[in-house]
Amino acid sequence: MPRDGDLRHRPATAGTTPQSGRPDADGTPAHLLHLTAEEQRSLAAARERRNGAFRERLSEISTEPGTVHDEGVEGAETKAACAQRIYTAMDEILQNPCEHQIIVTYGGSLTFVVASWIKMPIESADYARFRAPSGSITTLREDDFFHNRQVVNLGDTRHLDSAKAG
């Protein structure tokens, strides 16, 4: 039995179109929401207020590719600052003369680790996205002769399969 206010499990009522699956005014298929027409209008109005505030915030920041990418959180690091920090860290790490190195990242920073590794200009890194599952291993290799760099594996999870089996 749905709780009061739990709209996800409310039965379809007048104003929705579950049979047709046609989207309501804001593009959300009514058969997914099962809301009354009044609830759908209220939801659309709330989305428009949120989108208007977002558009206003976006107009205040630079839209040049690769510049800021401000997430809208006061005091948060911009994408450009994060990229610069990771590129600098990668330069420092790669100056260590050792055969193997392990770099632990979170999902968002992996893009800049790989971009730095392949020597992608930082200005172009704004267009790239390298994704990998949590707990995965990405293998980067440089050959000894030509010093070509490659991404051998991106987000490999085979090591997790043996943990599940054991």
Side-chain angles (χ1 to χ4, degrees):
M1 189 74 172
R3 299 182 310 266
D4 283 346
D6 188 355
L7 302 178
R8 294 171 297 171
H9 302 292
R10 186 176 294 173
T13 57
T16 62
T17 57
Q19 297 82 7
S20 70
R22 286 189 306 246
D24 67 3
D26 71 350
T28 305
H31 71 281
L32 295 178
L33 293 177
H34 302 293
L35 303 176
T36 66
E38 183 179 334
E39 289 168 330
Q40 287 183 32
R41 283 190 297 275
S42 176
L43 181 61
R47 285 185 179 144
E48 186 54 41
R49 284 190 305 275
R50 181 197 67 211
N51 290 341
F54 180 70
R55 281 191 298 273
E56 184 178 317
R57 176 83 174 118
L58 270 181
S59 69
E60 296 171 4
I61 62 175
S62 172
T63 56
E64 290 284 322
T67 54
V68 176
H69 191 80
D70 186 338
E71 293 292 336
V73 178
E74 190 75 29
E77 182 178 47
T78 64
K79 187 174 181 182
C82 177
Q84 186 59 58
R85 182 172 51 82
I86 293 168
Y87 268 62
T88 300
M90 286 294 292
D91 289 343
E92 292 173 15
I93 290 167
L94 294 174
Q95 288 179 16
N96 293 326
C98 58
E99 189 175 347
H100 299 282
Q101 296 193 54
I102 297 173
I103 301 169
V104 179
T105 70
Y106 63 92
S109 63
L110 177 63
T111 290
F112 301 121
V113 167
V114 173
S116 173
W117 173 255
I118 63 173
K119 296 193 178 278
M120 177 184 290
I122 197 165
E123 303 81 30
S124 299
D126 194 42
Y127 296 100
R129 183 74 173 142
F130 298 99
R131 302 187 86 135
S134 294
S136 65
I137 297 173
T138 295
T139 305
L140 308 173
R141 183 172 297 140
E142 181 178 75
D143 77 63
D144 292 334
F145 189 75
F146 292 110
H147 300 283
N148 293 321
R149 292 183 174 182
Q150 63 180 337
V151 178
V152 178
N153 292 310
L154 181 67
D156 187 6
T157 59
R158 288 177 292 175
H159 63 286
L160 299 175
D161 295 338
S162 62
K164 288 178 194 174

